[in-house]
Amino acid sequence: MGCGWAGRSIWLPRLAGHPAYEVVAAVDPDPAARDAIGGQGVPRVLADLDELERGEVDLAVVAAPNHLHAPVAARLLERGVPVFVEKPVCLNVTEAERLSAAESAGGAILLAGSAAPYRADVRALYALAAELGPIRHVDVAWVRARGVPGAGGWFTDRSRSGGGALVDLGWHLLDTVGPMLGTAVFEQVAGAVSADFVNAGYLRAQWRGDADAEAPGTGDVEDTARGFLVTEDGVSVSLRASWASHQARDVTRFTVESVSGTAELTCTFGFSSNRQAESVLTRTRHGTTVPVPLPVEPVGAEYSRQLDELPALLADPAGRGAAIGGARRTIAVIERLYGSARAARRAALVPEVQGAG
């Protein structure tokens, strides 16, 4: 469902090459998108999901633009079709509630696209962090040198994307932090956003192959978001998500400070060619830093690994509601970060009144 870059470049090749799946159809209302996917061996390329017969598919992969994720997934769930939804699963808590209702009404299950926790280096970080004892602070960042997506497209249009770098990259970061903190609730959330680079054509994500990639943009979303969060147990998380910056490489970094030491993973998430050469994981204790061996895997292996695990998740009725619950928690934090940023900006725009009264 959706024949844009993610559908064509990430999901279709992996589904077509995986022994557990048979691709039977692709759906997109845009004729150009349907034409673009026509040569990839898909038996049927349709304009609307209603053209699918009931019972024709066992799973629908929703990779449409962000604002269509929840509406398309809800329509499918209500028809009893299980869905696997690319991040962001939804753009607000209201959409999460609609998906929950649709899942219950149709008796199908929703699974969420969350590739980062399936990376081998991230799983090694989880294991190391567990060895180091209770976590006190986590610092997470995904900062691109140049990587603003979609020249003039939906990615930088708030009405269709739901936001900028925070919704796009920040969702991955929050998904990665989640397993380390469990069901912890964030009691305090503060956020700030900026848009210094979003419309600079030379900072576009060239590796996506977008047409007119260097054309100046007219986006109304942030290219950088920063946040500070504190759980009910006093664990703090600092977060930065940036589509573009002044640095030379696209780098993703996690630093986990625990009772018995610090674990740090430096790598590059995603498909950018301007990446760190290899992932590096270290452990620091008593002033000594030592490297932790990591397996080498190809770029994008986490997406294939997630497909490996979907059949078992689909077959487990006890999993119904779990993905939506996780998505609800993630989007609630994102909404609060945006709300904090808006409130701070409004406060900065209100002139101080001297001697009022």
Side-chain angles (χ1 to χ4, degrees):
M1 301 293 170
C3 302
W5 182 84
R8 294 194 310 270
S9 302
I10 298 177
W11 296 113
L12 181 57
R14 287 172 173 79
L15 288 164
H18 198 293
Y21 301 90
E22 177 188 1
V23 178
V24 297
V27 182
D28 198 298
D30 181 7
R34 294 198 300 274
D35 289 343
I37 213 167
Q40 292 188 249
V42 181
R44 301 173 64 198
V45 183
L46 311 174
D48 191 274
L49 64 87
D50 286 338
E51 297 179 53
L52 292 170
E53 298 293 333
R54 186 178 297 273
E56 184 178 353
V57 297
D58 305 306
L59 176 69
V61 177
V62 179
N66 290 359
H67 70 295
L68 297 176
H69 285 186
V72 169
R75 286 174 64 189
L76 290 160
L77 289 168
E78 288 164 353
R79 295 171 60 182
V81 178
V83 295
F84 173 75
V85 188
E86 252 284 20
K87 65 84 198 165
V89 174
C90 51
L91 296 183
N92 51 59
V93 172
T94 300
E95 287 190 346
E97 299 298 341
R98 180 187 175 191
L99 288 170
S100 180
E103 190 182 50
S104 298
I109 189 170
L110 180 145
L111 300 174
S114 179
Y118 288 84
R119 291 175 58 102
D121 52 7
V122 169
R123 290 185 168 184
L125 172 67
Y126 291 160
L128 178 56
E131 293 175 9
L132 294 176
I135 293 173
R136 300 305 186 210
H137 176 73
V138 182
D139 190 278
V140 299
W142 184 353
V143 182
R144 291 177 178 166
R146 50 179 65 196
V148 180
W154 63 263
F155 256 110
T156 56
D157 175 4
R158 185 175 299 279
S159 66
R160 292 181 289 169
S161 65
L166 179 57
V167 169
D168 183 29
L169 309 184
W171 189 289
H172 285 293
L173 296 175
L174 290 168
D175 265 358
T176 307
V177 170
M180 289 188 281
L181 301 186
T183 58
V185 175
F186 290 112
E187 293 284 358
Q188 302 175 47
V189 174
V193 298
S194 55
D196 300 319
F197 308 111
V198 69
N199 291 315
Y202 72 97
L203 293 174
R204 296 287 178 195
Q206 302 284 354
W207 45 270
R208 285 176 53 89
D210 294 323
D212 300 324
E214 294 190 3
T218 58
D220 61 351
V221 297
E222 82 285 351
D223 55 59
T224 296
R226 301 172 182 85
F228 194 81
L229 310 95
V230 183
T231 73
E232 56 191 347
D233 297 324
V235 179
S236 55
V237 176
S238 60
L239 176 148
R240 178 181 173 185
S242 294
W243 276 340
S245 68
H246 297 294
Q247 68 183 33
R249 296 282 182 191
D250 298 355
V251 175
T252 310
R253 181 174 287 109
F254 293 84
T255 304
V256 183
E257 299 177 15
S258 299
V259 170
S260 301
T262 298
E264 181 170 283
L265 171 65
T266 306
C267 57
T268 303
F269 280 8
F271 295 91
S272 168
S273 56
N274 184 30
R275 60 194 305 111
Q276 180 165 304
E278 60 183 15
S279 299
V280 176
L281 178 63
T282 61
R283 177 182 63 235
T284 301
R285 297 182 66 183
H286 308 305
T288 301
T289 298
V290 296
V292 177
L294 287 175
V296 177
E297 62 180 3
V299 174
E302 61 270 27
Y303 292 89
S304 299
R305 192 170 293 124
Q306 190 168 22
L307 290 182
D308 293 341
E309 299 190 15
L310 286 187
L313 294 173
L314 282 170
D316 181 10
R320 189 172 294 124
I324 293 175
R328 183 190 292 111
R329 289 191 293 272
T330 299
I331 197 60
V333 171
I334 289 173
E335 284 190 297
R336 291 173 68 189
L337 285 167
Y338 278 135
S340 172
R342 287 193 300 269
R345 183 159 296 181
R346 284 196 299 268
L349 292 174
V350 175
E352 184 177 349
V353 180
Q354 300 292 335

